């Protein structure tokens, strides 16, 4: 079968990420004797440098890791709401939604600490060894991809009139970063050099002590001081007013990334692992639970029946996400993934496209939705709900399918069989003003929580806002086989499901999984549920497909009532994947050709 690139195969190590410099930096760590976790940390910090419009150190990163011979674990790098982030506080400011930009939307930063905990517990390299690649690209420069400059241009007026520290970095001499020219971030390089120096001085040559010292610098040292100073500055946000953050020194000092067990679901001989109900990850599993238990019982791959079934199942899963997912109340995952519940839900899928938001009633409980969600679902969105303001939310995919950028992803498997999938995001250059002393901004993940009381995703101090970030790991016979994921906000668990089914249903290539073919296959998404990002709109009945989808399938979807938009031929999905064959030890990898920057490397 023709694909845009080969599925790589080897035995030493495999890396796939959303930027070639991160992939090659991770491979360099593997070549230097490091393991998959050392390589992931190095790549994560490189992504902060080369994709600053998509992630930053003060953002978030959920990680799924499978140590060779050990148990699959989730490492949560999603920070909670600060102690002062109460709905009453936001409503006292005249707000009905958390703004999509600015310090008022900042959760406690989680990404940096998660990378440090991963390095401490599972890595072998020193802090200096994994940070040297990011320092090099920040200090000496790198050639930026087009979307960095395009993103800066979209917020030029904001930067030059309000967020002047961002203009100083991203508009030097009035010019935005351009392809083919070196772009530098000397403040970020200086931050990491100072962090290393202070950690080495405190650690006395002990690797673990140095990492712990670096965590302390982030929480209570010069980095914390600079973050808090920036958070206190009144800043113009998407509400049209100037607000300061609720983030305090105590919030920073008390945060630690944590481990937890993954949520799992068995389907057709596979075990799929996702993060818990504080993420949208279980929506992937719910979509699987709505399908026949055996792949052979699915409609023909790529047919109108097949695409219709997946679209309608996704609508039901995402309606449950809206009603039941969050960190402010227990999520009834056992019931949501149970066969009786899904038998009942499956009966709702008819021959016609649904335009309704239909959450279920697990254990007989009545679903509750936010007032905003009820409004957008009824077709009468609140005043001011419409197109996002420049820089707000997570720029994902436009309604025409055109790429708008969004998040990052990386997957790595090493020669020992260690495997990892991570989806870093948040702290985008367009989310908050650059902290001038540090070279990066705060994040805006609180925009995903509601201000209505009593919901699973109500903004609650000490609780995580529900995130769209959702890496995946798949096992067969209790053995990790595939790590995968994608950027894409609300599209992530749609595109990943389509990838996984393509992988599971298609014939092997060269004796192994057809990773590249599954990534290249025509993809699609729908927006028939309230969006996770400001202004949190909904497009009932919508489906956006790639122009490569069979025209007969498109015509049949329209006949069934789907509101189909045909986007560009290569516009849906940003997937990365690595795999290991337990029987042979052969490793493989593939990366997304869309956007022309994802890259797989290995040997």
């Amino acid at each position: 079968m023709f694909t845009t690139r080969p599925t790589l195969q080897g035995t030493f190590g495999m890396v796939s990420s959303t930027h070639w410099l991160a992939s090659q930096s991770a491979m360099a760590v593997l070549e230097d004797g490091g393991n998959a976790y050392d390589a992931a940390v190095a790549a994560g910090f490189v992504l902060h440098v080369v994709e600053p419009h998509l992630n930053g150190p003060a953002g978030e990163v959920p990680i799924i890791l499978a140590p060779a011979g050990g148990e699959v674990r989730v490492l949560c790098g999603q920070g909670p709401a600060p102690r002062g982030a109460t709905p009453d506080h936001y409503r006292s400011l005249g707000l009905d939604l958390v703004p999509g930009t600015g310090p008022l939307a900042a959760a406690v930063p989680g990404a940096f600490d998660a990378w440090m905990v991963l390095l401490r517990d599972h890595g072998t390299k020193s802090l200096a060894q994994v940070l040297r690649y990011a320092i090099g690209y920040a200090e000496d420069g790198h050639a930026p991809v087009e979307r960095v400059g395009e993103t800066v241009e979209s917020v030029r007026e904001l930067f030059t009139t309000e967020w002047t520290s961002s203009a100083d970095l991203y508009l030097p001499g009035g010019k935005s970063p351009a392809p083919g020219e070196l772009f530098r971030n000397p403040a970020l390089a200086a931050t990491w050099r100072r962090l290393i120096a202070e950690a080495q001085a405190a650690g006395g040559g002990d690797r673990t002590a140095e990492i712990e010292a670096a965590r302390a610098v982030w929480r209570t040292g010069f980095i914390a001081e600079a973050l808090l100073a920036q958070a206190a500055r009144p800043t113009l946000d998407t509400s049209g007013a100037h607000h300061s953050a609720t983030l305090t020194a105590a919030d920073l000092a008390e945060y630690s990334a944590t481990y937890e067990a993954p949520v799992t679901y068995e389907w057709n001989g596979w075990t799929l692992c996702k993060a818990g109900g504080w993420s949208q990850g279980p929506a992937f599993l719910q979509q699987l639970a709505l399908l026949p238990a055996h792949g052979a019982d699915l409609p023909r791959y790529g047919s109108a029946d097949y695409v219709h079934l997946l679209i309608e199942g996704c609508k039901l899963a995402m309606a449950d996400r809206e009603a039941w997912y969050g960190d402010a109340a227990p999520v009834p995952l056992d019931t949501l993934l149970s066969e009786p519940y899904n038998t009942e839900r499956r009966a709702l899928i008819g021959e016609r496209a649904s335009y309704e938001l239909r959450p279920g009633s697990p254990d007989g409980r009545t679903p509750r939705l936010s007032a905003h969600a009820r409004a957008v679902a009824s077709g009468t969105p609140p005043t001011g709900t419409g197109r996002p303001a420049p820089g707000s939310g997570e720029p994902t995919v436009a309604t025409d399918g055109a790429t708008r950028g969004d998040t990052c992803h990386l997957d790595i498997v090493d020669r020992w069989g260690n495997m990892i999938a991570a989806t870093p995001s948040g702290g985008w250059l367009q989310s908050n003003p650059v902290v001038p002393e540090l070279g990066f901004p705060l994040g805006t993940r609180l925009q995903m929580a509601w201000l209505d009381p009593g919901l699973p995703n109500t903004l609650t101090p000490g609780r995580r806002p529900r995130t769209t970030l959702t890496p995946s790991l798949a096992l067969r016979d209790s053995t990790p086989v595939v790590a995968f994921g994608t950027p894409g906000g609300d599209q992530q668990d749609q595109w990943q499901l389509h990838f996984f089914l393509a992988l599971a249903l298609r014939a092997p290539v060269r004796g192994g999984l057809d990773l590249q073919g599954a990534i290249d296959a025509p993809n699609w998404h729908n927006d028939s549920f309230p969006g996770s990002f400001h202004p949190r709109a909904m497009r009932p009945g919508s489906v956006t497909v790639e122009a490569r989808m069979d025209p007969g399938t498109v015509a049949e979807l329209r006949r069934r009532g789907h509101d189909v938009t045909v986007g560009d031929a290569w516009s849906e999905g940003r997937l990365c994947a690595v795999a290991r064959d337990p029987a042979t030890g052969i490793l493989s990898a593939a990366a997304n050709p869309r956007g022309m920057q994802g890259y797989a490397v290995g040997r």
Side-chain angles (χ1 to χ4, degrees):
M1 172 179 287
F2 173 80
T3 56
T4 57
R5 309 165 180 182
T7 294
L8 307 183
Q9 290 184 324
T11 56
F12 180 80
M14 289 286 164
V15 181
S16 180
S17 87
T18 49
H19 196 289
W20 62 86
L21 290 180
S23 295
Q24 190 54 54
S25 297
M27 195 66 200
V29 174
L30 295 181
E31 296 283 4
D32 193 42
N35 65 19
Y37 308 117
D38 298 312
V41 177
F45 280 89
V46 169
L47 287 171
H48 297 160
V49 178
V50 300
E51 294 191 318
H53 58 310
L54 308 180
N55 79 134
E60 304 84 27
V61 58
I63 298 168
I64 301 184
L65 61 149
E71 294 185 354
V72 177
R73 301 291 286 170
V74 172
L75 176 55
C76 175
Q78 172 59 65
R83 60 186 61 194
T86 64
D88 286 346
H89 174 67
Y90 287 71
R91 292 198 180 279
S92 74
L93 300 173
L95 299 171
D96 294 320
L97 291 175
V98 177
T101 61
L104 197 57
V108 179
F112 177 86
D113 198 64
W115 290 125
M116 291 298 100
V117 169
L118 179 68
L119 183 65
R120 180 196 68 190
D121 295 344
H122 298 280
T124 65
K125 295 292 188 179
S126 70
L127 185 64
Q129 286 172 319
V130 295
L131 284 181
R132 68 188 183 97
Y133 305 93
I135 291 172
Y137 288 123
E139 198 165 61
D140 301 328
H142 69 283
V145 295
E146 289 83 353
R147 281 298 296 155
V148 176
E150 291 169 3
T151 301
V152 172
E153 285 299 322
S154 73
V155 287
R156 172 184 282 272
E157 182 178 357
L158 177 67
F159 279 15
T160 55
T161 60
E162 293 281 348
W163 296 9
T164 54
S165 61
S166 298
D168 291 342
L169 175 58
Y170 289 106
L171 288 166
K175 185 178 179 182
S176 60
E181 299 178 4
L182 289 178
F183 176 74
R184 297 175 173 86
N185 188 340
L188 181 58
T191 296
W192 297 146
R193 286 196 180 280
R194 181 176 173 184
L195 175 81
I196 292 169
E198 293 191 11
Q200 288 176 338
D206 180 82
R207 192 187 80 92
T208 300
E210 286 184 5
I211 295 169
E212 285 300 307
R215 297 177 72 203
V217 170
W218 179 277
R219 291 167 167 167
T220 60
F222 79 92
I223 292 178
E225 292 171 0
L227 289 173
L228 292 168
Q230 181 65 49
R233 296 185 180 109
T235 300
L236 181 66
D237 58 39
T238 52
S239 72
H242 291 75
H243 296 113
S244 301
T246 59
L247 190 67
T248 67
D251 294 316
L252 283 175
E254 294 171 3
Y255 175 73
S256 177
T258 55
Y259 291 101
E260 58 190 57
V263 180
T264 63
Y265 186 76
E266 307 281 337
W267 185 83
N268 201 38
W270 292 85
T271 302
L272 282 301
C273 302
K274 300 291 283 187
W278 51 269
S279 75
Q280 73 170 343
F284 178 103
L285 307 180
Q286 283 197 252
Q287 290 176 82
L288 280 179
L290 287 163
L291 299 178
H294 303 288
D297 295 331
L298 280 168
R300 179 176 56 83
Y301 176 82
S303 66
D305 286 339
Y306 176 87
V307 177
H308 173 79
L309 177 65
L310 296 188
I311 292 169
E312 294 305 300
C314 176
K315 292 174 184 177
L316 295 175
M318 297 301 258
D320 276 347
R321 183 194 75 163
E322 189 55 53
W324 300 109
Y325 290 20
D327 197 35
V331 182
L333 289 176
D334 287 346
T335 302
L336 292 174
L337 294 173
S338 68
E339 180 55 31
Y341 179 80
N342 283 285
T343 297
E344 180 181 323
R345 297 285 279 162
R346 200 177 295 122
L348 296 176
I349 299 177
E351 287 297 311
R352 300 285 298 174
S354 170
Y355 278 58
E356 299 178 75
L357 187 68
R358 298 181 290 179
S361 301
D363 304 316
R365 288 186 284 172
T366 301
R368 288 192 58 201
L369 300 174
S370 70
H372 182 93
R374 292 197 304 272
V376 297
S378 71
T380 56
T383 302
T385 299
R387 296 182 64 84
S392 68
E394 182 180 40
T396 54
V397 176
T399 56
D400 62 358
T403 303
R404 294 290 184 266
D406 42 86
T407 287
C408 308
H409 187 80
L410 64 89
D411 301 302
I412 303 174
V413 60
D414 64 27
R415 63 189 183 275
W416 300 287
N418 298 303
M419 189 176 288
I420 184 170
T423 310
S425 187
W428 315 290
L429 68 86
Q430 65 274 28
S431 64
N432 257 302
V434 167
V435 183
E437 303 92 335
L438 303 179
F440 59 84
L442 287 162
T444 52
R445 191 62 57 173
L446 292 188
Q447 67 181 287
M448 306 189 74
W450 296 113
L451 300 181
D452 308 58
L455 301 174
N457 194 30
T458 294
L459 182 65
T460 305
R463 297 291 183 173
R464 295 164 289 192
R466 190 191 70 214
T467 181
T468 53
L469 307 176
T470 172
S472 301
L473 202 140
L475 298 81
R476 289 189 75 91
D477 300 322
S478 302
T479 302
V481 175
V482 189
F484 59 98
T486 179
D490 293 318
Q491 287 83 45
Q492 288 184 30
D493 278 318
Q494 301 185 56
W495 292 337
Q496 290 186 72
L497 177 73
H498 308 159
F499 161 81
F500 170 73
L501 291 176
L503 195 69
L505 299 175
R506 292 155 69 106
V509 171
R510 293 175 178 163
L513 295 169
D514 185 13
L515 297 180
Q516 194 64 53
I519 289 174
D520 288 356
N523 218 322
W524 67 93
H525 82 274
N526 83 89
D527 298 296
S528 296
F529 46 85
S532 295
F533 295 92
H534 193 278
R536 313 204 70 169
M538 173 177 169
R539 295 175 59 223
S542 70
V543 180
T544 303
V545 306
E546 290 183 323
R548 293 179 298 124
M549 182 175 281
D550 178 67
T553 297
V554 173
E556 177 60 17
L557 291 174
R558 285 175 170 154
R559 189 193 68 79
R560 295 186 186 197
H562 296 280
D563 180 10
V564 181
T565 297
V566 178
D568 292 340
W570 295 92
S571 55
E572 292 283 319
R574 315 281 178 267
L575 283 141
C576 300
V578 300
R580 180 179 183 273
D581 186 330
T584 64
I586 292 174
L587 313 178
S588 56
N592 172 54
R594 302 164 179 88
M596 298 301 289
Q597 67 184 67
Y599 213 74
V601 61
R603 69 172 180 86

